[in-house]
Structure formats: structure tokens, C-alpha cells
Amino acid sequence: MPLLGLLPRRAWASLLSQLLRPPCASCTGAVRCQSQVAEAVLTSQLKAHQEKPNFIIKTPKGTRDLSPQHMVVREKILDLVISCFKRHGAKGMDTPAFELKDFDIAGQFDPMIPDAECLKIMCEILSGLQLGDFLIKVNDRRIVDGMFAVCGVPESKFRAICSSIDKLDKMAWKDVRHEMVVKKGLAPEVADRIGDYVQCHGGVSLVEQMFQDPRLSQNKQALEGLGDLKLLFEYLTLFGIADKISFDLSLARGLDYYTGVIYEAVLLQTPTQAGEEPLNVGSVAAGGRYDGLVGMFDPKGHKVPCVGLSIGVERIFYIVEQRMKTKGEKVRTTETQVFVATPQKNFLQERLKLIAELWDSGIKAEMLYKNNPKLLTQLHYCESTGIPLVVIIGEQELKEGVIKIRSVASREEVAIKRENFVAEIQKRLSES
């Protein structure tokens, strides 16, 4: 059963061990600012109360305020992620976490089928986000433990050495080796044997090569992991994503609850353009199999096989945000399609009639909250916010029984009969 939610994997496991409860009420916010005047008035009012504050407004720990521009970008990212999850049959769950979007498959299934689908989902999302070239590293926790065993790592040091190996994406091998030997007391010859493995990466051919390895092939755990990886690559080839996957023996994922396949997606660095700073954000998605985790939280110890993935939404948001800042890209903060304007005074009632017709027809429309706004102010607002169409009603239009429709981009205007203006707008919007 695929499940998606905003929860870390450990919290998800505890959730599975309980009965589902009705979701808590939630709220969303939307902001629309039509002029700087309102902001100035509000600011002046707030200053009057700053001498003796009765309360302090703080954002909750682990969160931050987002501007309307940031919210548009964030919602696009989340919509793409969630639509992909739903395309793969996920059911929604919502829990209080902020940085991840999870997709998990729980239940007893044949080997590597759900695991392959998780990797397919990861590829679909990263391709859809258009973040650039990416690579998904895969390994198996049984291969990692088997590698440590045949290299001579004492079992008591498995987890400590695992955490060192996990740093190879940020540190050179010589530095990782130094940490294992000097700081964690591993014998130098054992560290060198590990180095022979963890510097290897490739495709299914590397899996076949490890099957023939004189040391690794003698370890039952490692052989089980290699067997599953071979089957996994068969499915990945059928899904058409094998070229995006790399069997990487340095991938360790230092979390104890993984029991089988593990994976991590990284963006491939491209040469930075002039004025662009390199973005070192680490992995943008990760996951794996954790068959024993749910049982740890179940009083009866029932085991529920699970595999899943997490999308690092905050990291992705940071990348997109920085690239937009570098390129100077602007973001529309509203989805308004039509603006209702007038060039004359005392036309508020006519504007209200027009905008009501637009709303009732499902068209996203706005107008200025003023009795007698200046036409130039109204048109400037449309240009600055990216509203594509303006409908104009004035004395001449009212007399002739028409409405003017103005294209904001081209500034071209056309007169349409009053009774036909909604249909004309719908036609234009459908063609755009």
C-alpha cells in the first residue's frame, strides 16, 4: 500500500503501529497586495504600538516565513511531487514535519518490485523538476555489513566505520581512512581493504564483478544483497532508468534501521556560469528498505516489510530559489486572469456587476478596491503583476452596450458586445 506524507521515516513507523485517526484541521494562507499605500498605513499603525508591546510574534521552531513569490515556487514543487506520488497510487497522510515528502510501500511483496518503483518515482520527480543532471546511487545494507566482515572490521565497530564511509561524498578517501584509523582505532590494513571496495562504482556489470570477488563471494549476507541488486537492475532496465542508477559501494546511509537496498540521489555539478555561486546541497532525495522498523514500535512485534523514499523539498526549494535569484527571474504571485477596470469616475457598480459575472463563470478576476481609481494605476498594476487581460467599462462602452477587452502584453483593445464578453474571455484564455 503506497503512502505519502510529510513525516520522517521513524515517525512514520510509530504511526503505522497505531489506528489511523481523523486528520487535524489545517489552514493555508494567501496574500494579495494591491498597493504600497496599505502597507505604509499598516506600518505606521504598528509603530504606534511598538513602545509597549504586549506580545511577541515568533515563527515556530524549524519553520520560516515565506513571501508570496517563494510560496508560488514552493507550491509548484510540492504539486509536482504529490502528483507523481498519486500517479503511483499513493494515499495521503499528513503529519507535522517540514522538510520532506515521503512515499512508502508497506506490505509483503515479491522482491525488488516495490523497490524498483520507488527509484522510478525518484527519477520522475527529479526529471520533472528540471534541476539538471542527477544520479541515484544504490547499495545494500547487507553488502555493506558483508564488506566490513570480510575486510576484518570488528562487529562492534560496524556502525562507527559505516558513519565514516558515509562521508566519502564530502571527503577524500585519504581523509576518511585517517578518521577510521586514527580516530576510530581501525587497523590500517583493514582500512586499506575497505578502500579497495568503497572506491568502486558502476552498473550491473559491477554487481556481476562483486559476485566473483574472492572475499565478498564468501559472505552470505553480501551474496543476498548482490542477488537482490541484480534483480533490481533488471527491473530498472525495464523501467528505462538504469542509466540513472549507479551501484556505489561507498553508499552506507548511516541510519541503523535500513535492512536492504539503500539509495540516494545527488545532482551532478555543472560548471557555474559567470556570477553564479556553486550550490553544494548534498543529496536531494534518499530512501531504502527498512523491514524491521515498524515491528520495533508494535507491542506485539508484528513485522511489516517497508520500502520508501524521501524528497528533500527544502533543499530543492533552496536550489530553485538561488537559481532564480541569479537569473533575475520574476514569479507571478497570483493566478488572476482578468482585471476589471474603468477610465471614469462613478463606475464602481458596473465594475462589481462585471466581476461578479466573471467569478460566477469560474474566471479568476480582480479589481482595485477604490471607488474612482485612475486608469493608469489600474493598467500599471496589471503589468506589474502579470495579469494577461483587462476588461474596461466606461461611459462610451455603457452607451454602446459593449465591453473593451485589452491584452496587457500587446496593449491591443477590441470592443465586444456586453452579453458576449465572458464567452470571448473564456475563448482567449483557452487559447493561451
Side-chain angles (χ1 to χ4, degrees):
M1 176 178 62
L3 299 169
L4 67 92
L6 285 170
L7 68 166
R9 191 141 290 123
R10 281 166 288 191
W12 185 84
S14 65
L15 184 64
L16 277 180
S17 66
Q18 305 172 31
L19 292 174
L20 292 176
R21 61 182 184 277
C24 298
S26 61
C27 63
T28 57
V31 178
R32 176 155 65 92
C33 178
Q34 291 196 347
S35 72
Q36 295 179 343
V37 177
E39 183 179 347
V41 172
L42 181 59
T43 302
S44 65
Q45 291 174 345
L46 288 173
K47 285 182 178 178
H49 296 280
Q50 284 179 350
E51 295 179 3
K52 296 181 180 180
N54 295 322
F55 58 88
I56 299 174
I57 299 175
K58 293 183 178 180
T59 56
K61 188 176 181 181
T63 68
R64 60 169 171 152
D65 290 331
L66 295 174
S67 70
Q69 289 83 1
H70 291 162
M71 280 303 300
V72 171
V73 177
R74 186 183 182 87
E75 286 174 359
K76 285 183 179 179
I77 292 171
L78 291 175
D79 286 348
L80 188 147
V81 172
I82 293 171
S83 66
C84 181
F85 286 171
K86 289 182 177 180
R87 188 163 61 248
H88 286 263
K91 298 177 181 179
M93 298 173 67
D94 189 12
T95 60
F98 304 100
E99 293 188 352
L100 303 174
K101 265 291 185 185
D102 284 4
F103 180 100
D104 299 89
I105 299 174
Q108 190 72 49
F109 302 105
D110 287 338
M112 295 298 103
I113 300 174
D115 309 69
E117 183 173 8
C118 284
L119 289 167
K120 173 65 173 170
I121 291 169
M122 199 178 281
C123 282
E124 288 179 13
I125 290 172
L126 294 178
S127 296
L129 289 170
Q130 298 180 341
L131 300 174
D133 289 337
F134 63 89
L135 185 69
I136 301 176
K137 303 175 184 179
V138 301
N139 199 359
D140 192 291
R141 199 56 183 267
R142 294 165 295 178
I143 297 174
V144 176
D145 288 348
M147 174 183 68
F148 288 161
V150 301
C151 289
V153 178
E155 191 171 344
S156 61
K157 291 184 181 289
F158 273 22
R159 298 288 77 85
I161 300 304
C162 183
S163 66
S164 294
I165 296 299
D166 230 9
K167 298 176 182 178
L168 277 170
D169 60 339
K170 302 180 184 70
M171 295 168 53
W173 163 246
K174 65 175 183 178
D175 297 320
V176 172
R177 182 186 183 279
H178 179 268
E179 178 181 295
M180 292 192 299
V181 173
V182 176
K183 295 183 179 180
K184 298 186 177 178
L186 193 67
E189 62 274 16
V190 174
D192 290 336
R193 291 187 204 116
I194 293 174
D196 292 337
Y197 288 109
V198 297
Q199 297 180 80
C200 295
H201 53 84
V204 68
S205 60
L206 180 60
V207 177
E208 298 285 2
Q209 181 182 328
M210 290 298 108
F211 266 119
Q212 307 303 320
D213 183 83
R215 288 188 297 227
L216 209 57
S217 61
Q218 301 304 309
N219 183 275
K220 182 181 177 182
Q221 264 192 312
L223 285 177
E224 289 176 354
L226 289 168
D228 277 351
L229 278 190
K230 183 179 179 181
L231 181 60
L232 177 66
F233 267 98
E234 289 182 20
Y235 297 151
L236 297 178
T237 300
L238 294 172
F239 280 152
I241 60 170
D243 62 323
K244 291 291 186 182
I245 315 296
S246 172
F247 173 31
D248 194 322
L249 284 155
S250 70
L251 182 63
R253 303 276 307 148
L255 298 174
D256 289 340
Y257 54 73
Y258 285 114
T259 57
V261 171
I262 51 178
Y263 34 84
E264 184 174 274
V266 294
L267 299 183
L268 300 179
Q269 293 292 329
T270 56
T272 55
Q273 299 176 354
E276 185 178 346
E277 295 182 4
L279 297 173
N280 297 314
V281 294
S283 66
V284 292
R289 177 159 288 280
Y290 53 107
D291 289 344
L293 185 61
V294 175
M296 293 168 56
F297 294 90
D298 190 329
K300 296 183 180 180
H302 293 148
K303 288 188 176 182
V304 181
C306 298
V307 64
L309 64 99
S310 295
I311 304 295
V313 173
E314 293 299 329
R315 287 185 173 183
I316 291 171
F317 177 55
Y318 171 75
I319 295 168
V320 174
E321 184 182 35
Q322 293 303 308
R323 288 181 177 176
M324 290 179 62
K325 187 182 296 184
T326 300
K327 296 177 180 179
E329 295 180 8
K330 292 184 179 180
V331 178
R332 276 200 70 188
T333 57
T334 73
E335 296 182 8
T336 305
Q337 299 164 307
V338 181
F339 188 88
V340 180
T342 182
Q344 274 114 20
K345 294 181 179 180
N346 302 320
F347 268 81
L348 176 60
Q349 291 185 0
E350 294 300 326
R351 285 190 291 144
L352 291 175
K353 290 178 186 177
L354 291 178
I355 202 166
E357 287 187 48
L358 293 168
W359 287 336
D360 292 344
S361 299
I363 296 170
K364 299 168 185 175
E366 283 187 53
M367 54 174 267
L368 286 189
Y369 302 142
K370 287 178 175 284
N371 278 308
N372 301 308
K374 294 181 179 179
L375 182 61
L376 187 61
T377 301
Q378 297 169 85
L379 296 179
H380 177 71
Y381 175 73
C382 294
E383 290 179 356
S384 63
T385 55
I387 299 174
L389 296 175
V390 182
V391 295
I392 300 173
I393 179 72
E395 292 178 358
Q396 188 67 27
E397 288 78 22
L398 190 61
K399 181 180 178 181
E400 296 177 1
V402 299
I403 299 295
K404 279 186 182 174
I405 298 179
R406 177 187 175 99
S407 168
V408 175
S410 67
R411 301 187 178 182
E412 294 178 354
E413 295 181 356
V414 61
I416 301 294
K417 287 185 178 181
R418 174 71 171 76
E419 59 269 24
N420 298 333
F421 93 101
V422 171
E424 176 63 22
I425 287 173
Q426 289 173 329
K427 178 185 175 184
R428 291 189 179 210
L429 292 175
S430 66
E431 293 173 351
S432 62

